[in-house]
Amino acid sequence: MKKIYRLLLLVTMISVFTGCDSWLDVSPKTEVKETDLFSKESGFKTALLGVYIEMVSSNLYGGNLTMSFMDVLAQYYSITSEESTYMPMTIYDYGHADVKPTVSQIWSNMYSIIANLNNLLWNMDQHKELFTADNYNIIKGEALGLRAYLHFDLLRMYAPSYVLGGDALAIPYVNEVTNVPFAQKTVKQVAETCIQDLLEAEALLKETDPIGPAFKSYSENYTNSGQDNAEYDEDGGFLRYRRERMNYYAVTTSLARIYLFLENKGEAYKWAELAVNSGRCSSTSYIFSLYSDKLADYSDYYFNPGLEKEEQLIIPEERKNSIYETDKYGSIDSRWKEWFHEYPNSSTEYMAKYMKASDGKRPVNVSLIAGCEAYYIAAEAATEESDAFSHLNRVRQSFGISASYNLKEGVDDLDAELYAEYRKSFVGEGQLFYYMKRKNFASIEGVVDGNFPSLYTFPLPDTEIEFGNIVNRNK
């Protein structure tokens, strides 16, 4: 994916995808720029890949929505100093001067990207004649999938959980290019609109995505002609590295994620099993991720021992051992062994998923949908407990926990084991907080006097209440 990002668009997107002051500001900087960008098929590719670059910024999935803000809320880290900028986050003081800008910025940046996706989609339908091979279906499928993905994360952050009431007012679902403020939909309506976009994306990608079911095998060296040849790629590498894009199985697993949110376990199981049974979605890797050559630098913002002590994000050894249940399994879990390392000249271990390796190799990508999540969704949605534990055991074994430790129906508590697995697998990925919110946890380990369940819902930004078509429920 490095070739794609570096050669195809890095410089060109700077002038196009700049942050908007408000998500309602969807107009391009000049009409000439938009006309030029969307006058060729390559411009649509550039615009789409620019969305991925914006998503992996440190304000969003390169930091706040993965390794930092969301995982601080999930209580992974030990925050003890009153001087730490993370202290108000760890106690869910969303109105604090160190937290409120983060909450507002996430909202505005996400809707800015959604506006760019809407602009891309509108222009696609005006210029269908520009597209070659299957690129119209692939680009549109990815864009629709991304629009749904971003809206669903906004829903999980800024609206009450579905289990507390699907008819509660939530967020706007912005799916048109317009300067007219969108009204809020309810929690259920937003989730159902996400599903509509994802189902359309699934239909577009099912027969065209090289990683999808229509292709007998998948290679990162795929070309439009179907030839597996690393030396020749007639489409400039655009169809390579599908796991770093909103691919077919990212769409189907997103559907499973949302159906589980809506407590529709039958549909959740059906869609999750597509990834589980595909043979192309490893439980130890990712289904959908984002690449950034700045990822190690982003990691350093939070984990470098050269930071002031109160600004370091540390999972203490005792907490780490508790998360990975070393009292039961010792040190055999590869997640325990591989995701924590010491920096040079430091005796303290840090979360190291995104840390540059000592041999200079780049860190792993930011995972937006981990392969193991499809297994966890299938386990939670299974109609038979034996099937549920089978899915969990497959993941545990892939991470090195031997079959002699297999979980058993009638012996182990499925809900407790699912929570244990989420804690182990999603460190640094921002997913645990969403899980606890969806399950309506009435307590979180390490939280004293938490205001449940309201602490799970971010306040709506003041600017959107003032200028948007938003009901103020922050009072």
Side-chain angles (χ1 to χ4, degrees):
M1 198 61 169
K2 287 186 287 187
K3 289 183 180 178
I4 296 175
Y5 284 140
R6 290 174 179 170
L7 299 181
L8 186 57
L9 60 100
L10 272 177
V11 176
T12 61
M13 291 315 302
I14 292 175
S15 63
V16 179
F17 285 89
T18 53
C20 299
D21 293 333
S22 168
W23 65 266
L24 296 176
D25 177 17
V26 299
S27 298
K29 296 300 179 184
T30 69
E31 291 299 325
V32 174
K33 288 182 179 179
E34 181 177 351
T35 301
D36 288 347
L37 181 68
F38 295 126
S39 65
K40 298 178 181 178
E41 183 184 62
S42 60
F44 289 91
K45 296 175 183 177
T46 297
L48 176 63
L49 295 172
V51 166
Y52 291 108
I53 289 177
E54 289 298 301
M55 287 176 65
V56 79
S57 71
S58 61
N59 293 327
L60 297 177
Y61 295 98
N64 281 333
L65 299 185
T66 54
M67 67 187 89
S68 62
F69 182 51
M70 295 305 297
D71 270 6
V72 170
L73 299 181
Q75 305 297 321
Y76 271 116
Y77 308 113
S78 176
I79 312 295
T80 58
S81 172
E82 294 292 334
E83 302 301 315
S84 172
T85 55
Y86 301 111
M87 177 57 76
M89 298 179 186
T90 203
I91 60 173
Y92 311 101
D93 186 357
Y94 298 123
H96 192 278
D98 287 334
V99 184
K100 191 172 183 177
T102 297
V103 172
S104 297
Q105 188 175 50
I106 291 169
W107 173 282
S108 62
N109 287 1
M110 296 275 271
Y111 274 114
S112 177
I113 295 172
I114 289 168
N116 285 320
L117 285 167
N118 288 333
N119 201 28
L120 168 65
L121 287 163
W122 185 86
N123 277 281
M124 286 191 73
D125 286 339
Q126 311 310 308
H127 302 288
K128 290 183 180 180
E129 74 283 355
L130 296 176
F131 295 91
T132 59
D134 293 324
N135 287 335
Y136 175 85
N137 284 5
I138 289 173
I139 294 171
K140 185 171 184 178
E142 286 187 44
L144 287 169
L146 289 170
R147 185 169 73 183
Y149 185 97
L150 293 167
H151 275 107
F152 185 61
D153 271 1
L154 285 162
L155 178 69
R156 295 196 289 180
M157 286 184 278
Y158 294 90
S161 178
Y162 178 77
V163 297
L164 297 180
D167 294 329
L169 281 178
I171 63 170
Y173 199 98
V174 182
N175 53 8
E176 294 179 8
V177 178
T178 178
N179 284 327
V180 178
F182 278 66
Q184 291 160 286
K185 290 179 177 286
T186 66
V187 172
K188 185 177 181 181
Q189 287 171 337
V190 173
E192 289 176 340
T193 311
C194 288
I195 288 171
Q196 291 173 14
D197 270 352
L198 288 167
L199 288 174
E200 185 177 353
E202 190 269 343
L204 290 165
L205 294 172
K206 187 173 184 178
E207 301 298 326
T208 59
D209 192 338
I211 202 174
F215 293 75
K216 291 183 179 180
S217 61
Y218 171 65
S219 169
E220 296 291 6
N221 297 323
Y222 174 82
T223 68
N224 271 359
S225 61
Q227 299 300 312
D228 180 7
N229 189 333
E231 300 302 319
Y232 171 72
D233 194 327
E234 63 197 38
D235 205 17
F238 182 69
L239 293 181
R240 293 186 180 184
Y241 306 102
R242 296 301 298 165
R243 293 186 182 92
E244 298 181 8
R245 305 270 286 278
M246 175 54 70
N247 62 70
Y248 177 77
Y249 293 109
V251 168
T252 61
T253 308
S254 293
L255 280 165
R257 183 187 271 182
I258 298 173
Y259 276 119
L260 192 63
F261 173 86
L262 292 173
E263 300 187 304
N264 186 337
K265 291 188 175 182
E267 287 295 306
Y269 186 88
K270 179 185 80 174
W271 290 105
E273 283 289 273
L274 291 179
V276 168
N277 296 326
S278 69
R280 301 176 188 183
C281 302
S282 166
S283 62
T284 60
S285 187
Y286 40 71
I287 294 173
F288 173 34
S289 68
L290 295 175
Y291 164 80
S292 172
D293 58 1
K294 297 179 181 179
L295 198 51
D297 296 330
Y298 294 159
S299 179
D300 272 354
Y301 294 165
Y302 313 111
F303 306 113
N304 194 306
L307 298 168
E308 295 292 332
K309 189 172 182 180
E310 63 269 15
E311 297 306 307
Q312 297 172 16
L313 292 179
I314 299 172
I315 300 179
E317 184 177 1
E318 182 179 353
R319 186 172 300 176
K320 175 191 168 186
N321 290 338
S322 173
I323 291 170
Y324 292 98
E325 301 180 286
T326 56
D327 58 330
K328 292 183 182 179
Y329 309 117
S331 60
I332 61 176
D333 193 321
S334 62
R335 294 167 290 191
W336 182 90
K337 292 186 289 186
E338 296 175 7
W339 292 350
F340 298 86
H341 295 294
E342 297 174 358
Y343 271 84
N345 304 315
S346 173
S347 59
T348 302
E349 278 194 329
Y350 295 85
M351 198 285 293
K353 278 186 175 179
Y354 312 119
M355 190 188 300
K356 185 175 290 185
S358 58
D359 59 6
K361 292 182 178 178
R362 70 178 180 89
V364 299
N365 292 1
V366 172
S367 176
L368 271 64
I369 303 178
C372 60
E373 185 176 356
Y375 288 80
Y376 296 157
I377 292 172
E380 187 173 346
T383 56
E384 300 292 334
E385 195 173 72
S386 58
D387 186 23
F389 281 121
S390 175
H391 280 83
L392 288 188
N393 286 330
R394 286 173 67 184
V395 176
R396 286 156 55 89
Q397 288 177 30
S398 69
F399 283 118
I401 300 177
S402 68
S404 62
Y405 291 107
N406 273 358
L407 304 171
K408 298 179 177 62
E409 59 178 315
V411 176
D412 296 294
D413 184 309
L414 179 60
D415 285 340
E417 296 299 339
L418 271 168
Y419 171 60
E421 281 298 306
Y422 269 80
R423 288 184 81 198
K424 293 170 187 175
S425 289
F426 293 116
V427 57
E429 297 184 21
Q431 295 298 319
L432 182 61
F433 183 77
Y434 296 139
Y435 174 81
M436 294 187 293
K437 177 176 181 175
R438 177 172 63 81
K439 302 293 284 186
N440 197 27
F441 277 29
S443 64
I444 298 176
E445 184 177 336
V447 177
V448 179
D449 298 327
N451 186 17
F452 295 92
S454 61
L455 65 78
Y456 289 120
T457 303
F458 298 176
L460 299 171
D462 293 340
T463 54
E464 301 309 328
I465 294 171
E466 183 176 358
F467 299 111
N469 192 359
I470 299 287
V471 174
N472 185 2
R473 53 174 166 76
N474 295 342
K475 294 180 179 180

